[in-house]
Amino acid sequence: MTFSWTQHRFSGGALALDVANSVILRFDAERRIDRYADPVAMSDFAAAANRFSAEKELFGTLEPVALENRNAFLDLREATDRHFRAGVMGASTGDDLADLLDAASVIIRRHPVKSQRTPLDAATARSALMLATFAEPERLKICPNCQWLFLDRSRNRSRTWCDMTVCGNRAKANRHYQRQKREWTA
């Protein structure tokens, strides 16, 4: 199956959330897809983030995660998802935050700050730490369709979907289908 990183895959609004969202259908064991299970897809993510990430201006040009750092990067991805998902659901614990801080510190210690080129794992760690100190945590949300994490940057904090053109349209189409179905069976 061919896969490409499109703009939709970067609808989290923060690099750390886009990385966390690289697991599709995270809570469906039978249909779950880890996009980073393919090493090529993991490497290609950095180039796509340079084009599509909402934080692309913050970290300079992103480079792929070095092979020897990939396990730590995956640990950071999982800690990011656990911490922010728990926060949105009102179930955050000190352990989730500690795990995120531990995972981020492992990566940050490996990478000095560079001005032009930044490894994806270092940028993701910094993005996660910025989100952990975000002044408006209520702007973090979970898409009701795909369950991705996203940052609601809308003025009135009313964004519901990670991406209106994908998840929002699917939900609208499903509601329309259900209305039509009720009318046909009535």
Side-chain angles (χ1 to χ4, degrees):
M1 178 167 92
T2 305
F3 174 76
S4 63
W5 294 107
T6 62
Q7 187 165 358
H8 165 67
R9 302 289 175 187
F10 292 86
S11 56
L15 181 62
L17 299 180
D18 296 331
V19 167
N21 293 337
S22 66
V23 178
I24 313 302
L25 300 170
R26 181 178 285 277
F27 301 106
D28 185 340
E30 292 179 12
R31 300 182 335 176
R32 179 186 168 142
I33 301 169
D34 181 351
R35 294 294 184 200
Y36 290 165
D38 176 1
V40 173
M42 183 189 279
S43 292
D44 290 348
F45 185 89
N50 286 324
R51 290 191 314 270
F52 302 126
S53 174
E55 295 180 330
K56 63 186 170 195
E57 304 299 323
L58 294 179
F59 304 112
T61 302
L62 297 177
E63 298 177 332
V65 177
L67 188 59
E68 66 272 12
N69 295 336
R70 287 187 174 188
N71 286 337
F73 177 60
L74 294 175
D75 289 346
L76 174 63
R77 175 186 70 177
E78 297 308 307
T80 298
D81 186 81
R82 278 191 311 274
H83 172 69
F84 292 112
R85 190 171 299 279
V88 171
M89 296 169 49
S92 186
T93 67
D95 289 343
D96 292 330
L97 178 58
D99 290 346
L100 175 64
L101 295 174
D102 287 344
S105 70
V106 165
I107 290 170
I108 289 173
R109 288 177 204 278
R110 293 179 182 178
H111 300 292
V113 175
K114 297 179 183 178
S115 60
Q116 297 300 317
R117 300 185 72 73
T118 306
L120 176 62
D121 51 338
T124 302
R126 291 183 183 101
S127 175
L129 293 174
M130 288 188 309
L131 271 178
T133 59
F134 189 55
E136 299 177 274
E138 67 278 359
R139 287 189 178 265
L140 251 72
K141 297 182 179 180
I142 299 173
C143 178
N145 184 55
C146 67
Q147 301 301 302
W148 279 3
L149 293 162
F150 69 93
L151 189 57
D152 179 0
R153 295 185 188 268
S154 67
R155 186 173 294 172
N156 63 358
R157 299 181 176 128
S158 63
R159 186 171 156 197
T160 303
W161 314 103
C162 67
D163 185 343
M164 188 60 202
T165 60
V166 177
C167 288
N169 283 344
R170 286 180 185 161
K172 285 181 177 184
N174 187 41
R175 283 195 308 268
H176 175 73
Y177 171 76
Q178 295 301 327
R179 274 193 310 273
Q180 293 296 318
K181 189 176 169 181
R182 282 192 303 273
E183 289 175 12
W184 294 331
T185 58

